[in-house]
Amino acid sequence: MEGKLVERLEAAVARLEALAAGGGISARGLPDSGGDDMSSDPSIVAFDDLMDQYAAKVSGAAEKIGGQVLDVSKLLLKAFSVEKKLLMEIKQTQKPDMAGMAEFLKPLNEVIMKVNSMAEARRSEFINHFKSAAESLSALAWIAYTGKDCGMTMPIAHVEESWQAAEFYNNKVLVEYKTKDPNHVEWAKALKELYLPGLRGYVKSHYPLGPVWNASGKKVSAAPSKAPQSGAPAPPCPPPASHFTSEPSKASSSQPKQGMSAVFQELSSGNVTAGLRKVTDDMKAKNRTDRTGAVSTSEKQTSSTPSTTTPTVKKVAPPKLELQMGRKWAVENHIGNKNLVIDDCDAKQSVYVFGCKDSVLQIQGKVNNITLDKCTKMGVLFKDVVAAFEIVNCNGVEAQCQGSAPTISVDNTSGAQLYLSKDSLEAAITTAKSIDINVLVPGATSDADW
């Protein structure tokens, strides 16, 4: 597989050299300025090495898996290929403004959005693969760094932060397929290596302060928009769902008011009586002969009858603590129970805690993995986990590891206290969409505070 990738890269370089020799143009219509020099540039050669060393591993693992994983992997590698072309063009292009930057990076953004659309479908068993790829591709946006005032972190930090967001889902792939399919494990490990140390090392060696543009090169401008038919200026269009957008969002005042907003807008205009019909004398109630002030007995009884409609009561599922199929401990819907204990467990079993509130669970043995889902003010005390300890969609939870845990993941959670033992200090902790996460470690002595 690595040999095929090298052949394709050599063929691409040969085509670029042929275009340069014939006085042609590059893929984006920019004049060539020495294709041979560009292909032999140290930074471009290093990018080819990055693809040969790391991207080939991702492609090889994806070929073994096939199907949708192969499809998303092809798009991911295509994004890297587009980034290489952009790096080559930067060497012959002037630094663009914000609008020009969005236009310049449009080919890369188009590929990234295709991967994002796959990750948003949520109908595949490989959703964690899709999300890993989609989150990781944001690392390629380091190429848009233009200085400390551009709103981005430094390129190296940007690559690291982007992978941290992707690693949460990548770890899910590792946990899910650890004992099922080694090809998926190989794919997940290769994907991480592509960014860390792969892309991070490349950026650190060649572009630690961002891309170097050509001050005397070709200018890049934003795509022209259609002129309005009337003399009035065209309203701003809504921004696309893009990593590199430069257009401002549409002002709320330009949208039509609805509901009570429309009422207040009409009142503030001062013309509050426009469109009202005039009430004539024959329309007044006191002058109408078809109505009387008497109320019939049946109407009075109907109006005084109390409503018999019973309010809907939300059903609460009964609490559960049981071992299912000999592999999964289900702990569900416990409220105010401080004495939940699982003592008869082994390393092949998992623990899934769902919908519990103001409760405490003790797991007195080694298990494969532990997951807390939609729990509030929940406490968990456990010894050892083989794969990972996960907290998802929770609020105000506390967890203490008395043994070892290789991976701890926190997703969409507000408020979590993680107490680590000395044996779990090497744990890899990843967070996504979470706030107020605290990690406490033992003090220097047994009597010292955390």
Side-chain angles (χ1 to χ4, degrees):
M1 184 61 206
E2 294 183 7
K4 293 181 179 179
L5 181 60
V6 172
E7 291 177 3
R8 291 199 296 269
L9 290 172
E10 291 177 347
V13 172
R15 287 195 295 271
L16 288 171
E17 292 175 348
L19 283 172
I25 58 174
S26 65
R28 290 181 52 81
L30 298 174
D32 285 333
S33 60
D36 293 332
D37 295 337
M38 195 184 306
S39 61
S40 60
D41 185 277
S43 64
I44 302 302
V45 173
F47 198 93
D48 290 338
D49 294 340
L50 167 69
M51 297 295 288
D52 292 343
Q53 184 176 358
Y54 298 106
K57 293 182 180 179
V58 177
S59 180
E63 290 281 357
K64 297 177 184 178
I65 300 171
Q68 294 177 322
V69 176
L70 178 59
D71 293 340
V72 76
S73 299
K74 287 180 177 179
L75 286 174
L76 183 140
L77 298 183
K78 182 179 179 181
F80 273 80
S81 178
V82 172
E83 175 127 315
K84 176 189 172 182
K85 293 179 181 179
L86 294 179
L87 287 172
M88 297 173 72
E89 292 181 14
I90 284 175
K91 297 181 180 298
Q92 54 188 11
T93 306
Q94 292 185 24
K95 181 178 176 181
D97 56 13
M98 186 177 295
M101 180 67 77
E103 180 66 19
F104 181 80
L105 298 173
K106 187 175 180 181
L108 178 60
N109 185 65
E110 289 175 350
V111 181
I112 294 177
M113 295 311 297
K114 288 181 181 179
V115 179
N116 285 341
S117 64
M118 296 181 69
E120 293 171 358
R122 298 179 180 273
R123 294 183 180 179
S124 172
E125 61 179 311
F126 306 116
I127 187 63
N128 289 321
H129 297 71
F130 297 163
K131 286 186 174 293
S132 297
E135 293 286 349
S136 69
L137 280 178
S138 63
L140 297 183
W142 72 265
I143 199 174
Y145 182 83
T146 56
K148 62 181 181 179
D149 297 328
C150 70
M152 292 177 58
T153 55
M154 297 284 286
I156 299 173
H158 177 80
V159 173
E160 293 175 344
E161 292 169 0
S162 298
W163 175 249
Q164 288 174 3
E167 191 170 23
F168 178 82
Y169 302 102
N170 202 58
N171 285 338
K172 284 181 175 288
V173 176
L174 290 172
V175 172
E176 181 179 358
Y177 290 95
K178 183 175 182 179
T179 58
K180 292 168 57 176
D181 191 338
N183 292 329
H184 291 267
V185 176
E186 179 186 350
W187 182 89
K189 291 181 177 179
L191 183 65
K192 180 175 181 178
E193 291 177 356
L194 177 61
Y195 293 95
L196 305 179
L199 183 61
R200 179 183 62 184
Y202 172 79
V203 174
K204 183 177 181 180
S205 299
H206 298 278
Y207 298 103
L209 301 178
V212 180
W213 300 82
N214 189 339
S216 59
K218 176 78 174 183
K219 289 185 178 180
V220 177
S221 58
S225 58
K226 293 183 179 180
Q229 295 181 356
S230 62
C237 58
S242 165
H243 282 79
F244 313 110
T245 182
S246 64
E247 298 179 0
S249 59
K250 190 173 183 179
S252 59
S253 59
S254 63
Q255 300 180 1
K257 301 291 184 180
Q258 298 180 355
M260 291 306 297
S261 297
V263 175
F264 290 123
Q265 184 183 48
E266 193 70 24
L267 290 173
S268 62
S269 66
N271 190 17
V272 297
T273 60
L276 298 180
R277 293 177 58 190
K278 183 175 179 60
V279 180
T280 59
D281 289 339
D282 60 329
M283 295 171 65
K284 296 178 181 179
K286 65 179 182 179
N287 297 329
R288 295 189 60 170
T289 59
D290 58 337
R291 293 187 181 180
T292 65
V295 178
S296 64
T297 305
S298 60
E299 288 179 315
K300 187 174 182 180
Q301 291 177 348
T302 301
S303 63
S304 62
T305 303
S307 174
T308 58
T309 304
T310 56
T312 58
V313 179
K314 185 178 180 180
K315 295 183 179 180
V316 178
K320 180 189 301 183
L321 195 162
E322 62 184 19
L323 179 62
Q324 300 176 344
M325 305 296 290
R327 299 296 298 271
K328 174 183 175 182
W329 285 94
V331 184
E332 301 177 2
N333 306 311
H334 287 274
I335 299 177
N337 191 341
K338 310 287 187 179
N339 301 309
L340 298 171
V341 179
I342 297 177
D343 53 6
D344 185 16
C345 52
D346 60 54
K348 295 182 179 180
Q349 296 172 349
S350 62
V351 179
Y352 181 69
V353 186
F354 176 81
C356 294
K357 182 178 181 180
D358 195 22
S359 301
V360 177
L361 170 66
Q362 298 182 50
I363 304 173
Q364 300 175 349
K366 179 184 288 187
V367 293
N368 185 269
N369 70 288
I370 304 171
T371 302
L372 269 65
D373 188 4
K374 294 184 179 179
C375 295
T376 303
K377 295 182 180 180
M378 182 71 187
V380 177
L381 180 66
F382 64 95
K383 290 189 176 180
D384 301 297
V385 290
V386 178
F389 176 76
E390 299 177 282
I391 303 175
V392 185
N393 305 319
C394 293
N395 183 19
V397 298
E398 294 187 11
Q400 181 173 353
C401 177
Q402 296 178 318
S404 63
T407 302
I408 299 177
S409 301
V410 184
D411 184 22
N412 196 27
T413 293
S414 174
Q417 300 272 20
L418 305 176
Y419 296 84
L420 303 183
S421 66
K422 291 183 178 180
D423 295 333
S424 59
L425 295 181
E426 299 296 328
I429 302 176
T430 61
T431 63
K433 301 179 181 178
S434 300
I435 59 172
D436 192 17
I437 310 301
N438 296 319
V439 179
L440 297 95
V441 297
T445 63
S446 58
D447 297 332
D449 292 335
W450 289 83

